[in-house]
Each structure stands twice: as C-alpha cells, then as structure tokens.
Amino acid sequence: MLFEMSNLDPIEVATEAYIYLYPIVVMEITRQQYAAKTQSQHDANLLSHGRILANDKWRSVARTNIDTLNSGAWLDLSKTSATMTISKSQLRFYMYQFLDMWTDTYAVIGSRTVGNEMVRLRIAAASDTSVKSDDVDFLIKSPTPTTWIIGRTYTNGRTDLSDAHQHQDGVIIKYDHPDQVQSNNQEITFVANIPPVEQTTNLSGPDFFELASRLIAQQGIHLTDGCMSLRLRSLGFNVGELFQCENRPAFVKAAIDQAPMRAATALETVSYSYRQTSTGWTMALDNIGTYANNYSTRAIIAKFGLAANPPEDSVYASFAPQDERLKLDGKNTYLIHFKKDQIPPARFFWSLTVYDRDGFMIPNDLRRFGLRSCDNLEYGSNGSLDIYLGPTKTNQFPESNWIPTVTGVVTATIRIYGPSTDVLTGNWEPPAFSRVAN
C-alpha cells in the first residue's frame, strides 16, 4: 500500500532515506570485496591477518592508521554461531571491534575491556535463542546476522613485528557448525579494486534503493528505527520487501533519482557531533562508533572513516577544514608545535598521519606516512615536540620529525589510543599548523 503523500514531501523523505541506508550499502560492498579476495574454508580460522602496516597502496578504506596490524573476518551468523579464542597478549595492546551491518560497534574485545589474559567467547545473531555459552567466558550477540570483526594489534613495525605476528596467530575464530554456512562468494556483483564509497556513489538512485531493500530483508533494522521505517513506507519502501522503483508512481521515481545528489549536499553542510576548533581541527567525541538514530553522523563516518572506534578506545582529531585560509597545500612546509602539556595524552600510544584530499596515504621515497609516539622523535629541551609537513627535507628540522607531502590538498589525523579524561571531556585539543618558509 502506498500512503497518501499529502503531508509528506517525497524528495525530503527520499533524501533522508538515502542517508539512513547509506552505511548498510557501503558495508555490503566492503563485504563483497573481502569475499572476493579471501578464500578461507568455513572450517578453518575465519580471520585474515595483515602482516604489514598500512601504506599508500591501501585503497579500500580511507584514512587507515599506521599504528596497528589489521585483522578481519566477516561472519554469517544466520544459521550458526562462532567461537573466538584470544591467547594471552603479554601486555601488547590489541582490540577486536565488532560491527553490525549498519556500522554500529556493539562490542570491543581487547586490552581496555578484558585485559591481556586469554579469553574465549561465542558470537551469535541476536535472533539465536538456542545458542549455548556455558563453555566460554562471554556470549556476544550481533544485532544483524552478518557481522564484521576488525582486529588491531599494536606494533612499532620494526623490532617487535614477529611478536605482533605471534599474537595475531593466537586469535582464532571458527564457526560452530561450518556445514550450515553458505559460500561467502555468492552473488559478488561489485569489483574488488574500486573503493566501496566510490562504488556506492556510482549507483543510481533506483539501484541503490533496490540493493538496500534486499539487504534489509536479510539483516533487519534496529529496534529504534521505527519512525524511519514508517517514513520509508510513504515511498512504497516496506521493510522486508524488495523495492522496485520501476513500479512506483512518477513522483516517487523522481524523488529516488534525485536522492543521491541531494543527500550528498545535505551531508556536506550538516553539523555532525564533531567539536570544531578555531584552528581547523575537528574532534570526534560523541556518537562515534555507536550512532543510535543519528543517521547523518553514521553516514558521514561510513563515507569518510568507515569502522571508526568508539571514543573510549581511541579518539581521532581530523584536520580537513572547510575554511580555505586554513587548508594545507602539500607544496608548502608546515609546522605543528606541541608544548609539553599539549602532546597527545594517551594511555597506550598516539600518532599523526597525513593523507591526500581523498583520505589516502601519500606516496614518498621514505615510505613514511606519519609519525608515532614510538618513533625516534627529537624533543625540545623543554619537552616540546615539533613535527613538520612538507615536500622536501631542509636544514630547519631533523628528518626524524618530518612527514613528506606532495602538491595538493593535504589532510591529517591524530589518533589517541586510550585517551585521557581531558581528551574525552573536551579539555584537550591539538595546536594549529603554521606555515614556514620552504
């Protein structure tokens, strides 16, 4: 049944719906890319472990970190649960983030939450009422039948790399009934070498909404999404049913056609729970990782920083200002000066990573994409720290404190793992960039 549209603007509803649905579509394309590249058997360890730190060749997810080795697994919990075992970590920082298909983090297992002792847990869909947990330490239930688990294991990338690999090898996820799982490679319709966000952007309005309707039929919606599901019905989009745009009235087709462009414009101008500083930095302190009904924030994070951690685990300060006067051009040299009491206050570690306009690392001969608290940095005699960004090394600064750039817009992210109370309460912020002569 198509509701009477007398008091509902179809263009407004379609735009809201696109923003609401955007994360689950990005997640599905990300899942398909992973499936296309991974050929693990269902009775084997489902985790794939990255053995090197991220670099300029990584293009599937924007703004990746330079601090941790990444691990990943996509689980289909529709017909079976899975068991995860994590060996004792010997005080090494690690975390495994559990995301549902709407990109919400529903659990984090790691140094902050369970310490460094061995743990064993069972993962099941929320709808699984028969799952047993008397043989494990924890039972974790995913809001959606499909879940993405992302592991991050700290390494300095040099002397402790083999130890980090050993810790990764001690983390195992296996299906409890592997014979019940369908192939991960079913219906792969997206290519593996184009970033998911770009492929999502390239979908027409009708294709986007039809794909989203199929995903919702499989994954369901959050219990708090009732109002949105009612508004969707005004377009003839009913939760659990395939949406076919060609069968809708002309005014609905027109609204669906316009939705991608209008949603993109809306997301560019929305204020989305970031604390903005006068120096061009934005701080993600609220509604990150778990979004409730803040659909705009959820869509923005899915587009620019998919799988962002909850702030209790790590806080990101991003430098990508809208003010043209504050933007960085990689052809110039810039200084960021941290006074002793401004150095990022992290319980575990921190880093500053530099990206191009699209959020990807900048190729350079040093293969240096940022600097980290574990690096051999030169500090001032008063405990301060100067970090330089620029196209060439000069005698003005030590090479250890330099991040190479190239001509074009440059953005940056400071990551603080185990942020202090001052960070979480908004009482710390990064200093400004200042331009210096090349």
Side-chain angles (χ1 to χ4, degrees):
M1 175 182 179
L2 189 64
F3 280 17
E4 185 66 38
M5 299 291 290
S6 58
N7 61 347
L8 290 177
D9 180 349
I11 293 177
E12 178 183 279
V13 174
T15 302
E16 286 181 16
Y18 187 96
I19 292 170
Y20 165 71
L21 299 167
Y22 183 87
I24 197 171
V25 173
V26 172
M27 283 286 277
E28 172 60 13
I29 299 174
T30 303
R31 185 200 66 79
Q32 288 195 22
Q33 286 194 340
Y34 182 89
K37 298 174 182 177
T38 308
Q39 302 295 328
S40 62
Q41 299 298 314
H42 290 153
D43 58 352
N45 186 5
L46 301 169
L47 274 170
S48 294
H49 296 300
R51 299 304 202 180
I52 59 173
L53 292 171
N55 56 56
D56 58 302
K57 305 299 183 185
W58 292 36
R59 310 289 292 184
S60 59
V61 177
R63 292 171 178 81
T64 50
N65 77 66
I66 57 170
D67 312 294
T68 61
L69 301 177
N70 293 324
S71 303
W74 286 86
L75 306 185
D76 175 5
L77 303 173
S78 59
K79 294 184 178 180
T80 180
S81 56
T83 299
M84 181 176 189
T85 303
I86 303 176
S87 299
K88 187 173 181 178
S89 67
Q90 304 296 335
L91 301 183
R92 177 177 300 279
F93 172 87
Y94 79 94
M95 59 178 288
Y96 281 81
Q97 178 187 13
F98 293 62
L99 297 103
D100 69 11
M101 281 296 284
W102 293 99
T103 72
D104 276 76
T105 298
Y106 61 91
V108 174
I109 300 296
S111 300
R112 180 182 70 86
T113 56
V114 299
N116 296 87
E117 296 300 318
M118 176 179 174
V119 294
R120 194 163 181 264
L121 55 125
R122 180 144 297 127
I123 312 154
S127 58
D128 188 343
T129 58
S130 62
V131 63
K132 306 297 184 182
S133 60
D134 53 357
D135 60 336
V136 294
D137 299 308
F138 308 104
L139 171 63
I140 294 177
K141 287 205 165 184
S142 170
T144 57
T146 301
T147 187
W148 187 17
I149 300 175
I150 303 173
R152 299 174 177 91
T153 302
Y154 174 78
T155 177
N156 64 23
R158 301 182 299 273
T159 57
D160 74 337
L161 195 56
S162 61
D163 288 341
H165 291 169
Q166 184 177 357
H167 172 73
Q168 287 181 305
D169 293 338
V171 184
I172 298 170
I173 302 176
K174 289 189 174 183
Y175 283 124
D176 294 323
H177 301 286
D179 56 310
Q180 298 295 312
V181 183
Q182 294 181 334
S183 170
N184 283 336
N185 296 319
Q186 283 191 350
E187 298 183 7
I188 293 178
T189 56
F190 294 91
V191 299
N193 59 349
I194 299 177
V197 166
E198 183 178 341
Q199 294 193 66
T200 303
T201 301
N202 291 339
L203 289 173
S204 68
D207 288 344
F208 176 93
F209 277 83
E210 289 176 20
L211 172 58
S213 72
R214 288 198 299 272
L215 294 173
I216 286 181
Q218 299 165 1
Q219 306 297 332
I221 63 174
H222 288 167
L223 294 176
T224 57
D225 291 344
C227 290
M228 179 57 71
S229 68
L230 292 175
R231 286 177 68 77
L232 284 169
R233 290 185 66 183
S234 68
L235 301 174
F237 188 114
N238 298 313
V239 170
E241 298 178 5
L242 178 64
F243 177 82
Q244 293 181 309
C245 190
E246 62 187 24
N247 297 333
R248 303 305 169 195
F251 63 86
V252 172
K253 292 179 181 177
I256 294 296
D257 285 337
Q258 296 178 47
M261 178 188 66
R262 289 182 175 273
T265 301
L267 291 177
E268 285 178 2
T269 58
V270 73
S271 175
Y272 53 94
S273 298
Y274 275 17
R275 186 173 65 85
Q276 301 186 15
T277 73
S278 60
T279 56
W281 291 93
T282 56
M283 299 279 288
L285 298 177
D286 301 306
N287 265 137
I288 302 301
T290 53
Y291 305 98
N293 287 25
N294 193 333
Y295 304 133
S296 293
T297 297
R298 189 174 70 179
I300 287 169
I301 297 300
K303 183 173 184 178
F304 295 109
L306 183 65
N309 295 321
E312 294 80 11
D313 291 295
S314 62
V315 164
Y316 304 159
S318 299
F319 190 88
Q322 297 300 311
D323 189 335
E324 292 291 335
R325 296 169 298 178
L326 296 175
K327 288 184 178 180
L328 306 180
D329 189 327
K331 70 181 180 182
N332 303 318
T333 300
Y334 299 91
L335 161 69
I336 182 168
H337 171 74
F338 295 92
K339 297 178 182 178
K340 182 178 180 180
D341 60 0
Q342 281 184 309
I343 293 173
R347 175 185 172 193
F348 298 116
F349 51 91
W350 62 265
S351 65
L352 190 159
T353 312
V354 172
Y355 306 98
D356 64 18
R357 179 195 297 271
D358 297 319
F360 298 111
M361 296 178 188
I362 299 172
N364 63 83
D365 292 339
L366 285 182
R367 297 190 60 75
R368 179 184 294 169
F369 312 108
L371 293 172
R372 304 168 298 168
S373 52
C374 67
D375 290 331
N376 187 27
L377 303 172
E378 288 193 24
Y379 290 80
S381 58
N382 59 359
S384 64
L385 175 64
D386 290 341
I387 293 178
Y388 291 83
L389 282 60
T392 56
K393 165 70 180 71
T394 74
N395 293 330
Q396 294 174 281
F397 49 83
E399 184 175 274
S400 61
N401 293 30
W402 169 53
I403 305 173
T405 59
V406 295
T407 299
V409 172
V410 168
T411 62
T413 297
I414 293 175
R415 289 177 173 83
I416 305 174
Y417 293 82
S420 70
T421 301
D422 281 346
V423 176
L424 293 174
T425 56
N427 291 318
W428 177 89
E429 63 182 47
F433 282 104
S434 59
R435 184 176 171 181
V436 298
N438 285 6

